């Protein structure tokens, strides 16, 4: 007698669904059927996943809003210019600039050997780079690399505003 290939599984969500397990080796079908019984059916699993996705999206939106608020406050406090680009790029660039510059301050001044005069010179260089895309491109850089990255910025990355504020 052959091992059965179709199993009627009562999932943990309570739905009973027939499953064709003929694509599995005969000696693994019973174990897989037990594993399926401990799981929600596909429809319930997808519904739960979609609900979790909405919660994740709300959490991410709240996190982005808090990061944006911190970046705007930081830019105002340190007189950083408005970035150039689309609205979405400006927001993302502002967050990236804030994270990179605060990381650089920690690495170079707080934990490093830079004094406030060295940092002020770096801030001036950072003020000259106003293309949001440049800051987005540097978002994964190390704080210790900021000086070299700012030196490598081209004229297309720099704004046309008065550099003397």
């Amino acid at each position: 007698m052959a091992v059965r290939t179709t199993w009627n599984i009562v999932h943990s969500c309570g739905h009973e669904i027939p499953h064709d397990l003929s694509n599995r080796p005969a000696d693994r079908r019973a174990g897989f059927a037990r594993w399926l019984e401990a799981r929600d059916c596909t429809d319930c699993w997808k519904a739960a996943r979609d609900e979790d996705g909405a919660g994740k999206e709300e959490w991410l939106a709240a996190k982005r809003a808090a990061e944006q608020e911190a970046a705007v406050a930081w830019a105002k406090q340190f007189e950083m210019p408005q970035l150039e680009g689309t609205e979405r790029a400006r927001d993302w660039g502002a967050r990236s600039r804030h994270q990179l510059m605060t990381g650089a301050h920690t690495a170079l001044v707080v934990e490093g050997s830079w004094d406030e005069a060295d940092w002020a010179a770096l801030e001036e260089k950072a003020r000259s780079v106003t293309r949001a895309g440049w800051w987005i491109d540097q978002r994964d850089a190390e704080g210790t690399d900021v000086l070299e990255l700012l030196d490598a910025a081209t004229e297309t990355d720099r704004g046309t505003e008065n550099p003397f504020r």
Side-chain angles (χ1 to χ4, degrees):
M1 176 167 203
V3 176
R4 65 181 172 161
T5 58
T6 303
W7 297 68
N8 287 326
I9 305 294
V10 179
H11 290 275
S12 62
C13 60
H15 295 119
E16 183 175 349
I17 299 173
H19 288 272
D20 179 10
L21 304 181
S22 61
N23 61 344
R24 299 197 170 273
D27 62 337
R28 297 194 177 200
R29 293 177 192 158
F32 187 69
R34 280 191 301 277
W35 181 84
L36 285 172
E37 288 175 346
R39 308 287 182 269
D40 287 345
C41 71
T42 303
D43 292 337
C44 291
W45 175 79
K46 285 181 180 178
R49 182 190 65 191
D50 292 343
E51 288 175 12
D52 288 347
K56 182 178 179 183
E57 289 174 15
E58 290 172 6
W59 172 83
L60 187 58
K63 181 179 181 208
R64 290 287 180 256
E67 288 174 351
Q68 190 65 32
E69 186 177 313
V72 168
W74 174 85
K76 186 175 181 179
Q77 178 183 357
F78 293 100
E79 300 174 356
M80 292 290 167
Q82 176 72 28
L83 297 177
E84 300 166 356
T86 65
E87 181 180 353
R88 183 175 177 198
R90 285 191 312 263
D91 290 348
W92 189 9
R95 289 191 309 269
S96 298
R97 176 176 65 181
H98 174 244
Q99 291 168 351
L100 185 60
M101 291 298 289
T102 55
H105 186 269
T106 300
L108 299 172
V109 178
V110 176
E111 296 172 353
S113 60
W114 280 33
D115 61 14
E116 288 302 318
D118 294 331
W119 181 252
L122 181 77
E123 275 185 339
E124 283 303 316
K125 286 184 180 189
R127 284 185 188 95
S128 70
V129 177
T130 58
R131 187 174 70 84
W134 187 89
W135 291 101
I136 295 168
D137 290 344
Q138 312 315 318
R139 69 185 179 271
D140 293 326
E142 297 292 324
T144 55
D145 297 336
V146 172
L147 180 60
E148 185 177 351
L149 293 169
L150 288 169
D151 286 340
T154 64
E155 289 302 314
T156 58
D157 301 319
R158 299 182 192 287
T160 57
E161 293 293 319
N162 181 357
F164 301 105
R165 290 184 273 158

